[in-house]
Amino acid sequence: MDEAEYALDFFRNGGFSRRTCPACGHAFWTTGSHERCQEAPCTPYGFLGHPATSRPYRPAEMREAFLAFFEARGHTRIRRYPVVARWRNDVFFTQASIYDFQPWVTEGILPPPANPLTISQPCLRFLDLDEVGRSGRHFTEFEMMAHHAFNRPDHPVYFKERCVELAHEFLTGTLGLAAPGLTYKEEEWEGGGNLGPSLSVGVAGLEVATLVFMEYLRDGERLRPMPLTVVDTGYGLERLTWLSQGTHTAYEAVFGAPYEELRRTFPPREASILIDHARALNFLLVDGVVPSNSKEGYFSRLLIRRALRTLSTVPDAPELGAILDRVGREVARDFPEVGEHRDDLRAVLDAEIERYRETIVRSREQIRRAEARRTAEGGRPGVEDLVTWYDSLGVTPEVAVAELAAPIPIPEDFYAQVARRHEAEAGAPEAKETAAPGPEIPASVPPTEVRYYLDPYTLDFEAHVVHSTGNEVVLDRTYFYPTGGGQITDTGEIGGTRVVDVVRRGPWVVHALEGPSPFRVAERVRGRIDAGRRTQLMQHHTATHLLNGALRSVLGPHVWQAGAHKAVDAARIDITHFRALRPEEVRRVERLVNRLVREDRPVKSYFEKRNEAERRFGFTLYQGGAVPGKELRIVEIEGFDVEACGGTHCTHTSEVGLVTILGTERIQDGVVRLTYAAGERALDVLEERAHLLEAAARSLAVPPGQLLEGIDRLKAEVEGARQRERAGEKRGSADRAGSLLADPSSVTDAGGVRIVHARLDADRAGLMELSRQLTREPGRVALLAAESEGRGLLFVGSSAPRVPADGVLAVAREAFRGRGGGNPSAATAVGEPGEPLARALADARAEALRRAAGPA
RNA sequence: GGGCACGUAGAUCAGCGGAAGAUCGCUGCUUUCGCAAAGCAGAGGCCGGGGGUUCAAAUCCCCCCGUGUCCA
């Protein structure tokens, strides 16, 4: 990055000089006399015991000081976003404040909620999980305070000069840090294909802020300027708080009383882990991250289990739920939503703790058995067993070793070995299927005016063509709904030509026609939307919101929408929930939804300023994911459910008609899918089911009301028939065995062994059963031959140790080129039928006789 | 989303290419005033589902389904 990028007037006119840190090699700016940058490890902590600010700040005070400072300088204060980044598919969690605005705002697709803005965003990072409680400054959940500005060429806000000026004023003016103590270190920043210069601010060994200026797009080796440049800043709330208090560790400064309380029971490291995890879990659970074994849910589980293991290090430890509540109440002072629904949060936690207990019990059993097996084999469990147990049972090596009768040492690099085993699987992530971008539309084409938002009932309209290429048409305005928000596209026709797909592309709604577009720009055309399809989609969409509200009401507010799909035949919604739905719960949800339908509540769709909407409804608005933009489209079912949603909706719940839940399934741990139908389609489905029932009843010749009894009877009959058949076969072979034994021509006694040989008509199973009958008593040998499917079968059974079946077979099978084998009590071979088979049977008899008569 | 482990009698599991087993529970008998217990006898299995390999598959291979777990 060019040196000139950092040569700010603010530095040059403010008495700053540029030096190079001999320790890290980075250039930095300062008004002080430091040789080195003021960040660890180049400079050790200098504030411990000597707070660097003019007064100590508690976290809430620090946050307020920051937000108020920037508010007073033209920034709009923005509410926090959820810690789980549902609006992005490349990451699970909000790891920095800028994540809130990626990718739509930073790519210029949608306007920011305010500009410039200031925010204090709770973030989650799991990379340094092991450092928590060890380093004294790492947190799983931390707050990134920030001020952001988004500069469009036609609307510049501010960039480097003003940004650094503001940062410097806040740090020295408001917080009272000594200006000469600050260093602004030059660091290139790159991420997500963007890059630009950045300055990291160091004070007394602590990096307290980073100021990033997103300016370029990486295009192979070349850099291109971004159409939209972004000021992306991050100030560590915890670090600044720590700096202002100068306590031994950051945890003492940040957590205060609850931390002190834990310290009475736990050593510093354990207390830190517990309080850190408890705070992170409060945010995770409140934002709807139900513990599970995949995706973001796994991190909830990870923290809960780590916390439980930490608790188990001391006797009489408090309950995790109690710690979570204590910390949650503290967090709720600043984030009231964390204080709500404590009971629900507790229910989720308790379910997870119970699962963990079960897992432990199961694992212990498995480990004990595995050790017994290893011992029986003459060995003992090894490191590879420990790795397998950790991987597949979730048992840490410490726990596993404690379970072993003969403990083995745990290698130092245990987790490295685990990682190594996982390395092989790190294949390239499958390329996400992104809709083909289609031909580019010139920027001169005016944006489409979308009319379906406010008027979902107009299905016949006139508009002007503003763009037309290939089979694509863009109109100046449209009522066609493009695929999005889980609702599939409208179909219909434009000027008599079928519309098969509609998509949103940037500011335009693009209609894809069945064939090449016959339209010219400026032509006036008539659009007609398929009414039946649209009505059904609207009913399904409104039904989805009704269900979402009902599910939250019946199951608890931990329920968040994890995905949805509204098609014509049926719709489905995926929700976060910690176990499969019970029939009773499904029934209650269905009843509640249909009651709301009957109540005919108004469904209002309107646009509202984002901040106002968030203030009124909270961030459960974002069921379908966070939506950027200054204005949100709100869909409100009066007194029941409010969501930010772009779909087409009925205006009254009664229009939904009827909602019937067709089924539920647990599509993965922590996520339940409900499939349902509404309106006309619901009636279709119910009708189909009624028909099915009737047909089934007719087929069984019982009245529908007795269908179950009929099925039970049928099952009993089938089972009885099977039993009788089996018994019959058994009896048949017993009879056959009896007659064979009674037939002198097939029985030979030799050396106390009774040899029965026979050629009969049976399949392999039949021979086996007969042999079993013949060799029930000791000292018997059965030699049975049969032809089945053109092959010759020879079966040897033996209860005489002197005449091993496999030995006899080995000799006999040559005669009919048989292939097969067995064990001393039973052996079978398949070979040629006819004469060779007969010879094989004779050979078997001769061999059996020889062995029976031979030396005992 | 990927890796790994696991799905066998009502329950907990063993068996891991050659005739489906153990323990508990269940039924009956013996013993007891009765209970508990013990002994004897017995019932109970599409070895998760579907393909394949093999003379032969619970067992090996592939694909599903389900459960658990580790990692992103």
Side-chain angles (χ1 to χ4, degrees), chain A residues 12 45 175 295 348-349 416 490 516 573 602 638 667 748 804 851:
Chain A
R12 284 197 304 234
Y45 293 162
L175 297 188
K295 300 192 180 171
V348 174
L349 180 72
D490 281 332
I573 180 172
E638 213 172 76
I667 56 168
T748 322
R851 297 215 185 208

Side-chain angles (χ1 to χ4, degrees), chain A residues 502-560:
Chain A
V502 186
V503 293
R504 214 176 217 294
R505 197 179 303 154
W508 304 286
V509 174
V510 180
H511 308 77
L513 305 177
E514 205 169 33
S517 165
F519 307 113
R520 289 187 318 275
V521 170
E523 194 174 337
R524 193 172 173 78
V525 292
R526 183 170 177 192
R528 266 198 293 226
I529 294 161
D530 294 336
R533 179 182 168 103
R534 162 64 81 78
T535 303
Q536 191 61 62
L537 290 173
M538 277 164 61
Q539 288 169 328
H540 277 156
H541 206 144
T542 304
T544 303
H545 287 220
L546 282 169
L547 269 165
N548 198 18
L551 286 160
R552 286 175 68 84
S553 146
V554 170
L555 301 175
H558 63 272
V559 168
W560 280 71

Side-chain angles (χ1 to χ4, degrees), chain A residues 527-597:
Chain A
R528 266 198 293 226
I529 294 161
D530 294 336
R533 179 182 168 103
R534 162 64 81 78
T535 303
Q536 191 61 62
L537 290 173
M538 277 164 61
Q539 288 169 328
H540 277 156
H541 206 144
T542 304
T544 303
H545 287 220
L546 282 169
L547 269 165
N548 198 18
L551 286 160
R552 286 175 68 84
S553 146
V554 170
L555 301 175
H558 63 272
V559 168
W560 280 71
Q561 183 178 312
H565 183 77
K566 300 95 182 178
V568 177
D569 283 350
R572 56 172 198 255
I573 180 172
D574 299 338
I575 56 158
T576 57
H577 187 51
F578 49 85
R579 64 170 169 238
L581 295 195
R582 296 160 176 174
E584 167 63 16
E585 291 166 337
V586 175
R587 208 185 62 88
R588 278 170 59 203
V589 168
E590 199 175 61
R591 291 265 164 180
L592 178 53
V593 166
N594 284 297
R595 202 186 80 209
L596 283 147
V597 168

